[in-house]
Amino acid sequence: MTAVEEPAVAAPAAGRLARFSFNQATATGWGLAELVAGCVAAGVPGVGLWREPVREYGLARAARLVRDAGLRVTSLCRGGFFTADDWRDENLRAIEEAATLGTAELVLVSGGLPAGSRDVDGARERVADAIGELAPHAAAAGVRLAIEPLHPMFCADRCVIVTLGQALDIAERFDPGTVGVVVDTYHLWWDDTVYRQIARAGDRIAAFQVADWVTPLPEGVLLGRALPGEGCIDLRRFRDAVDDAGYRGAIEVEVFHADLWSRPGPDILAAAITAHLTHVG
């Protein structure tokens, strides 16, 4: 009789990696099973997942894989995009997926301006209306809707919420256990009000994501992130600010860069851990 190989299981996290989380988008070419095994082997306690690769792997299967490995899903990206025709149904599915994966945090990227529109104020108010419609469903599922502001260069096509203050203006209409905000260093480092807004956010901080800013930006600008320490952001100041605001959750390294993606998954993870420990943790 052939023995059944038991899956690797993460040991309880301790010390400097206790809050570290590896976001799946940092190593897009790494399959979910291999990513989970790599995190377990490296002593990483948490992973941030994305809906598309989870769906490809199989939602129930992915939930079982991560749970059996002893890892925590620190966030699921992403819901939002409220200009899409099917935004309501798609976001209800995202809430259900987050609950199945066992994460309390569903990251929302609001979407840009509707086609042909120049009414950015109206677009932001529609984001608030959509979140109001989703909030009861999220609360019933035990999932928090985490509004992520993106850098202003994405305002037209990806996200009309571009400052933490704008995100909080919406989030504060709802219970903090149901609607929170994401602090992402890549998107917020430029804002001279950001540290006041982090203090204002307090227990509404649902996720803290770190990446560095490097120039020149690549064509299309989306892949301009870098590992912590490779750019110009004062990441320790961000870390201190979210801690001072009372945040005790995961610190996700989330980097989109073609050169990084070309490396083997284990190498990317090792580099992310080193960058985190050196420049953030």
Side-chain angles (χ1 to χ4, degrees), residues 16-17 20 228 267-281:
R16 299 175 72 197
L17 281 183
F20 177 77
D267 291 356
I268 299 173
L269 176 60
I273 290 172
T274 299
H276 166 78
L277 293 177
T278 305
H279 301 285
V280 186

Side-chain angles (χ1 to χ4, degrees), residues 12-36:
R16 299 175 72 197
L17 281 183
R19 293 173 64 188
F20 177 77
S21 177
F22 186 66
N23 190 284
Q24 187 175 21
T26 307
T28 56
W30 212 8
L32 182 58
E34 292 75 21
L35 182 150
V36 166

Side-chain angles (χ1 to χ4, degrees), residues 171-239:
E172 287 172 350
R173 305 181 192 188
F174 307 95
D175 184 276
T178 302
V179 181
V181 295
V182 179
V183 176
D184 186 316
T185 60
Y186 176 79
H187 292 299
L188 298 177
W189 71 275
W190 58 275
D191 183 358
D192 63 351
T193 73
V194 69
Y195 297 107
R196 294 197 301 273
Q197 298 301 332
I198 289 173
R200 170 189 170 191
D203 61 359
R204 291 187 183 274
I205 301 175
F208 177 41
Q209 297 178 330
V210 295
D212 222 329
W213 180 284
V214 290
T215 52
L217 292 174
E219 184 178 358
V221 306
L222 186 62
L223 306 186
R225 300 183 182 214
L227 287 170
E230 295 182 356
C232 62
I233 302 177
D234 189 345
L235 295 168
R236 287 197 184 279
R237 187 179 179 189
F238 267 94
R239 162 71 190 274

